């Protein structure tokens, strides 16, 4: 069977205590044994003070000296021996408490880790429709915040009642032995607590359930807001959303307010009753001492014992409240995770070896998919497909074609009918077979916050295949982690191992993987995208010296290429003896690439070290004057221009928003008062000249003498750089690879000249030619694969995400590839290229393509036509385009 529903069969009991016993019984028994061992020492801890006061201090153990075990003891020695024993009992009791607390913590954390892992595993086995019923925000809240208190409770579940309850009994026993009447008076009000508190707690529990429900709705709304923020901005509904959120916060507030009122009433009742104990002791105990029926030492010991009695009683009451809260949380969480249609665990764990291939005939017999309302989205579909040929599925929106693609990929469980390949029922096959032999590309590509390389090879990571190889220290650390993982019922999979299934990709090992990835990218029409990312990427020359050497050769080749007349002057190369007029003052001064956060080219004037360099050369005052001149010019030019004027982009010293600030600064400080500038005002003016590019801004401020002084400052900047800043700059050197710069900047090693007609495009073409001549393109694409895709692939365009999803499936070489409108986000040219390449790549393998355009079905071997959930027609293109067919009508509407 594929599906299960019962919670206990899935490793998650309906009762919290059953769950605790099932997975931590041995630990709980050991904690109770430890608690029992501590009780005799605890009793002696309370008995001994009476002997110290009566026997040693008041001398009733005498007459002294007294003899114990053949040793004669005077009164003082006897006192110190008893107090020493008292100290020993303190140490023993505290050590036992320490060990119990640590063991409780470990037990609780292991169980919390186990529970979170099981819940996460359940999410991986949820049927897809379940994700329409519960939001990601709710699931995140449950797995993180809501289960957190359960870990602490699990460690306490048996230890607290055993230890604190036993402590309470020991203290009560001691008190009743000393004086039954006094002890009875001290605990006379405990039954009142035992009667009222559970009843008050019951209402708190109900409010707790309501609070959890409201907080989940709050999490759901936050998730919806994050996903829909574009719509909120586009429709100016932020005020409406804030009102909704405020309303939900208010609901949570009033529930929590009621909880606090009731909890603190419970606390008030507990504290009041606890304070009645001393009253009875001092009144009744004092009376007995005055009457001579009770000695003072016994009263002192009883008072001390009663003082300690409050702690275990309070702990038990707190435990009761925590127990009820934990029970509610656990039951509410489990109710959300034990769902109908949950895939059985074995379907994800089993992996047949060898894994059979899917070949021959794919047969669907009365295949049906009904939604929650009983409406058939796919209705009794029957067909047979040759998996050595290519099939297109066409139909209007809502025809059931998308759902059919999901059924064929077994991403949705059929509610009726049968799906098989050469007699092999696909419904009963484990995910190891389905996930490796069938590929699926949907309209929404799912990517992870990882590199393009990791996303591309994701479809090959099924099980750890090789030992990563560790030194002794690493092996020991891994053994500890493995022990904790298995103790918590977690996965023992080693992330440091190589998980990539090279055989599945049709290659022999890591050496062939890069070529296979490049081929997959080429099929998905994504090579150029990754190449561009690679140009903006970096390479560690220490790890890949051969790449650095080839980049340097490309740098020299580029210099040779641009010497021809039609390219001359397009690039101004970096030269340590010359000022680069196409670079900013900051770039000319540093003459290198910042590493880390010590220097920022956008805020170089804020660096204390740069300030010292400028002072040494005598440039500070000149730059301040120049900064004021620039500000005055910008204010004069832009004062009457709209904020979106192109001049603000070209002269990017001052934004439209900051223009009024500079106007006020100029009015406040004429040139002869620049010495009165405040630090932040001084920095604002000093920063402006650092952004100047002579060829672009043409303000005639960077003349030859000024350039010479900047070159002098460049020399001082490099020579005086302190040891702690040596690694903060990677200086330009024509004969050395710059590890902090991109590959493109390393090859270019200069600035594209400003104002040249199509300068960037012409240099781009030359750069590509040089890269090709040095056989660097493949290397650069490989570097591009290290580009981080961002959360959910957010750093890629929608088209790029789709292409990467296609490439991922091409790389894993499935027996059958199902594409459900997987190219809908692409332009027509890309669609055609990808379609042709995939059909060529999957020659002799199964390809089922759910198309969004009927005309794309022309070259497919077989076509299924969907309408109203039914397969109404099937055949080849020529047969189906005849007049009167549904397919021909669809063609006519495009």
């Amino acid at each position: 069977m594929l599906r299960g529903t019962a919670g206990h069969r899935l490793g998650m009991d309906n009762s919290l205590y059953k769950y605790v016993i099932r997975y931590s019984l041995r630990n709980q028994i050991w904690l109770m044994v430890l608690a029992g061992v501590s009780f005799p020492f605890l009793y002696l801890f309370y008995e001994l003070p009476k002997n110290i006061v009566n026997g040693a201090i008041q001398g009733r153990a005498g007459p002294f000296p007294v003899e114990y075990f053949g040793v004669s003891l005077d009164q003082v020695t006897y006192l110190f021996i008893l107090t020493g024993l008292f100290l020993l009992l303190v140490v023993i009791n505290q050590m036992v408490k320490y060990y119990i607390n640590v063991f409780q913590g470990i037990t609780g954390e292991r169980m919390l880790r186990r529970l979170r892992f099981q819940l996460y595993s359940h999410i991986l086995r949820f049927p897809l429709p379940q994700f329409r019923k519960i939001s990601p925000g709710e699931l995140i809240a449950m797995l993180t915040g809501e289960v957190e208190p359960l870990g602490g409770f699990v460690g306490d579940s048996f230890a607290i009642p055993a230890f604190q309850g036993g402590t309470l009994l020991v203290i009560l026993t001691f008190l009743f032995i000393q004086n039954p009447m006094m002890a009875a008076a001290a605990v006379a009000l405990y039954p009142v607590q035992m009667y009222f508190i559970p009843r008050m707690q019951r209402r708190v529990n109900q409010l707790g359930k309501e609070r959890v429900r409201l907080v989940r709705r709050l999490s759901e709304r936050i998730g919806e807001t994050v996903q829909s923020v574009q719509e909120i901005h586009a429709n100016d509904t932020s005020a409406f959303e804030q009102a909704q959120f405020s309303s939900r916060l208010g609901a949570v507030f009033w529930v929590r307010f009621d909880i606090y009122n009731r909890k603190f009433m419970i606390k008030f009742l507990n504290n009041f009753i606890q304070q009645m104990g001393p009253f009875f002791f001092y009144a009744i105990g004092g009376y007995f001492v005055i009457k001579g029926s009770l000695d003072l030492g016994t009263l002192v010991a009883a008072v001390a014992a009663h003082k300690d009695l409050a702690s275990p009683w309070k702990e038990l009451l707190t435990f009761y409240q925590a127990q009820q809260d934990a029970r509610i949380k656990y039951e509410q969480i489990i109710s959300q995770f034990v769902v109908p249609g949950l895939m059985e665990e074995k379907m994800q764990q089993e992996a047949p070896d060898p894994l059979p291939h899917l070949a021959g005939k794919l047969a669907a017999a009365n295949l049906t998919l009904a939604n929650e309302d009983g409406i058939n989205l796919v209705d009794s579909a029957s067909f047979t497909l040759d998996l050595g040929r290519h099939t297109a599925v066409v139909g209007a929106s809502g025809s059931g074609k998308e759902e059919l693609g999901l059924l064929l990929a077994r991403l949705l469980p059929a509610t009726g009918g049968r799906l098989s390949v050469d007699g092999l029922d696909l419904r009963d096959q484990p995910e190891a077979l389905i996930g490796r032999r069938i590929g699926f590309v949907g309209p929404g590509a799912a990517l992870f916050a990882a590199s393009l390389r990791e996303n591309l090879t994701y479809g090959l990571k099924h099980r750890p295949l090789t030992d990563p190889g560790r030194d002794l220290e690493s092996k020991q650390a891994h053994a500890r982690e493995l022990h904790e993982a298995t103790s918590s019922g977690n996965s023992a999979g080693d992330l440091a191992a190589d998980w990539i299934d090279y055989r599945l990709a049709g290659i022999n090992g890591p050496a062939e993987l890069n070529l296979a990835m490049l081929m997959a990218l080429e099929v998905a029409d994504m090579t150029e995208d990754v190449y561009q990312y690679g140009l903006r990427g970096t390479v560690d020359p220490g790890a890949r010296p051969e790449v650095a050497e080839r980049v340097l050769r490309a740098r020299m080749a580029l210099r040779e290429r641009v010497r021809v007349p039609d390219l001359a002057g397009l690039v101004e190369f970096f030269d340590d003896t010359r000022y680069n007029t196409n670079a900013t003052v900051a770039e000319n001064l540093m003459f290198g690439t910042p590493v880390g956060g010590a220097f920022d080219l956008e805020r170089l004037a804020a660096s204390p070290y740069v300030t010292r360099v400028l002072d040494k050369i005598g440039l500070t005052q000149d730059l301040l004057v120049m900064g004021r001149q620039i500000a005055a010019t910008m204010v004069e030019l832009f004062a009457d221009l709209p904020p979106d004027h192109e001049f603000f982009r070209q002269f990017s010293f001052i934004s439209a928003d900051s223009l009024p600030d500079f106007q006020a600064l100029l009015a406040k400080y004429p040139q002869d008062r620049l010495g009165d500038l405040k630090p932040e005002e001084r920095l604002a003016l000093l920063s402006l000249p650092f952004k100047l590019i002579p060829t672009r801004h043409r303000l005639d401020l960077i003349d030859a003498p000024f350039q010479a002084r900047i070159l002098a400052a460049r020399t001082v900047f490099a020579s005086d750089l302190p040891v702690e800043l040596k690694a903060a700059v990677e200086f330009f050197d024509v004969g050395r690879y710059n590890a902090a710069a991109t590959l493109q900047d390393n090859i270019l090693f200069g600035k594209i000249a400003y104002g040249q007609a199509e300068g960037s495009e012409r240099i781009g073409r030359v750069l590509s030619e040089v890269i090709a001549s040095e056989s660097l393109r493949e290397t650069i694409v490989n570097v591009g694969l290290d580009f981080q895709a961002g959360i959910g692939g957010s750093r890629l365009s929608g088209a790029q995400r789709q292409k990467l999803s296609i490439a991922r499936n091409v790389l894993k070489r499935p027996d059958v590839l199902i594409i459900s409108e997987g190219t809908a986000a692409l332009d027509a040219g890309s669609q055609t290229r990808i379609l042709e390449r995939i059909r060529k790549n999957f020659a002799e393998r199964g390809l089922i393509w759910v198309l969004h355009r009927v005309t794309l079905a022309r070259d497919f071997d077989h076509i299924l036509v969907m309408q109203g959930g039914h397969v109404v027609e099937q055949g080849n293109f020529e047969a189906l385009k005849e007049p009167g067919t549904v397919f021909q009508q669809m063609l006519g509407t495009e």
Side-chain angles (χ1 to χ4, degrees), residues 268-281:
F268 165 77
L269 181 61
N270 286 335
N271 290 337
F272 175 77
I273 292 175
Q274 287 301 322
Q275 295 307 315
M276 293 301 292
F279 165 76
F280 285 121
F281 270 107

Side-chain angles (χ1 to χ4, degrees), residues 525-806:
D525 198 33
M526 197 179 178
T527 307
E528 183 62 27
D529 300 89
V530 180
Y531 169 74
Q532 293 299 326
Y533 287 131
L535 285 175
R536 302 198 295 269
T538 60
V539 167
D540 180 2
R544 305 182 68 180
E546 75 290 349
V547 175
E549 184 62 33
R550 288 160 61 196
V551 168
L552 290 178
R553 288 202 301 268
R555 177 187 295 177
M556 298 307 171
L558 181 68
R559 290 192 165 213
E560 290 296 322
R561 292 289 300 275
V562 298
R563 287 182 178 178
V564 297
D566 61 327
L567 297 176
L570 282 180
V571 179
E572 185 176 3
F573 295 106
F574 291 130
D575 185 336
D576 58 1
T577 64
R578 295 181 56 197
Y579 188 96
N580 193 308
T581 58
N582 285 283
T584 65
V585 171
E587 290 170 320
N588 272 284
L589 174 61
M590 179 176 286
F591 200 68
T593 307
V595 179
F599 295 110
D600 181 358
L601 285 172
E602 295 297 317
R603 291 179 48 82
L604 201 61
S607 167
Y609 175 69
V610 171
T611 301
R612 293 199 300 271
V613 171
L614 297 178
D615 289 342
K616 186 173 183 177
I617 300 298
L619 271 170
T620 306
Q621 187 62 28
D622 292 344
L623 286 171
L624 271 175
V625 172
M626 185 182 295
R628 192 185 186 285
Q629 288 178 293
I630 295 171
T633 302
M634 297 299 105
V635 167
E636 182 181 351
L637 289 175
F638 300 154
D640 299 322
L641 294 180
D644 58 348
H645 197 280
E646 63 175 321
F647 278 8
F648 280 108
R649 180 188 58 81
Q650 182 178 353
F651 297 93
S652 54
F653 313 107
I654 301 175
S655 66
D657 293 336
S658 60
L659 199 63
D661 296 332
F662 279 98
Q663 285 177 315
L665 194 63
L666 292 171
K668 185 177 180 181
Y669 298 102
Q671 190 161 316
D672 58 354
R673 288 191 56 206
L674 293 180
D676 299 334
L677 287 165
K678 296 177 181 178
E680 63 274 13
E681 296 168 334
R682 178 186 175 89
L683 178 60
L685 288 181
L686 196 60
S687 297
L688 294 179
F690 280 86
K691 302 175 183 179
L692 270 180
I693 302 174
T695 56
R696 177 180 176 182
H697 299 125
R698 302 186 183 281
L699 297 179
D700 296 327
L701 295 174
I702 310 295
D703 54 17
F706 181 83
Q707 292 178 13
R709 296 174 71 193
I710 291 294
L711 292 177
R714 175 193 295 178
T715 303
V716 173
F717 181 92
S719 61
D720 290 2
L721 199 64
V723 175
E724 64 271 16
L725 293 177
K726 290 288 186 185
V729 183
E730 183 82 12
F731 290 108
F732 294 142
D733 183 341
V734 70
R736 189 164 61 88
Y737 181 87
N738 189 311
T742 66
L743 289 174
Q744 179 170 279
D745 287 345
N746 263 289
I747 297 173
L748 190 62
F749 200 70
K751 292 287 184 176
I752 297 176
Y754 183 77
Q756 297 286 339
E758 297 183 341
S760 296
E761 292 77 6
R762 293 160 66 191
I763 286 299
R765 289 192 291 270
V766 174
L767 188 67
S768 296
E769 293 170 3
V770 168
I771 286 171
S773 67
E774 295 296 328
S775 302
L776 269 172
R777 184 175 174 84
E778 183 179 319
T779 300
I780 292 174
V781 172
N782 193 38
V783 172
L785 287 172
D786 293 325
F787 179 79
Q788 294 297 312
I791 298 174
S794 58
R795 297 184 68 194
L796 306 181
S797 67
Q800 288 173 328
R801 290 195 291 272
Q802 286 300 116
K803 290 178 180 180
L804 191 59
S805 180
I806 292 170

